[in-house]
Amino acid sequence: MIVRSYDEIAPVEWGNGTSHRLLTESDGMGFTVCETLVRRGTTSALQYRRHLEACYCIGGSGEVVTADGEHHKIMEGTLYALDKHDAHYLVASDDEDLRLISVFNPPLRGDEKHDLSEDGFSQY
């Protein structure tokens, strides 16, 4: 059995926030669970070509925007799943941080960080 708390995990600075990677590849569960903080007022261009990701909002608000420009409001209690390795923009509201529980399959190693630049969607 694996038991660990948020406070035991050193956060990974991923670009526009932090990620506490509670389960990673080395745990042998076949998926990763993270608590992710997206800093208020930020926009992150993201795409996971090697992972599927589902996110459940546990606090704050924002939106996820498809590469085609379709907007989906994210608030506490909302889940979104990137089931087709979707390129997307993750946008935190201007007045509060966005907090998500993120699940990745296959699992992350745990040290991945985004390269957020104007050159396109950050990947890992």
Side-chain angles (χ1 to χ4, degrees):
M1 179 182 297
I2 300 167
V3 178
R4 60 178 61 114
S5 73
Y6 177 90
D7 295 333
E8 296 172 27
I9 307 298
V12 173
E13 176 67 44
W14 59 263
N16 281 336
T18 59
S19 178
H20 284 77
R21 289 154 183 191
L22 297 160
L23 286 176
T24 61
E25 183 178 60
S26 65
D27 293 310
M29 295 291 296
F31 57 89
T32 288
V33 175
C34 307
E35 183 168 333
T36 303
L37 178 129
V38 185
R39 289 190 189 92
R40 66 181 171 193
T42 62
T43 298
S44 306
L46 308 172
Q47 183 174 25
Y48 301 102
R49 293 188 185 266
R50 293 180 291 279
H51 305 276
L52 297 176
E53 182 193 28
C55 294
Y56 181 72
C57 181
I58 59 169
S61 63
E63 61 183 348
V64 61
V65 182
T66 67
D68 306 3
E70 188 176 336
H71 292 249
H72 301 278
K73 182 75 175 151
I74 304 299
M75 61 189 82
E76 189 173 336
T78 304
L79 176 130
Y80 68 91
L82 304 164
D83 61 337
K84 295 180 177 71
H85 305 280
D86 312 76
H88 63 287
Y89 299 93
L90 184 56
V91 182
S93 71
D94 287 334
D95 57 332
E96 60 186 344
D97 293 337
L98 178 61
R99 291 182 47 233
L100 306 167
I101 298 297
S102 304
V103 178
F104 289 89
N105 182 28
L108 302 175
R109 288 184 319 272
D111 60 350
E112 294 88 347
K113 297 178 183 181
H114 286 289
D115 177 17
L116 301 174
S117 67
E118 301 294 323
D119 299 341
F121 294 94
S122 177
Q123 305 171 33
Y124 59 72

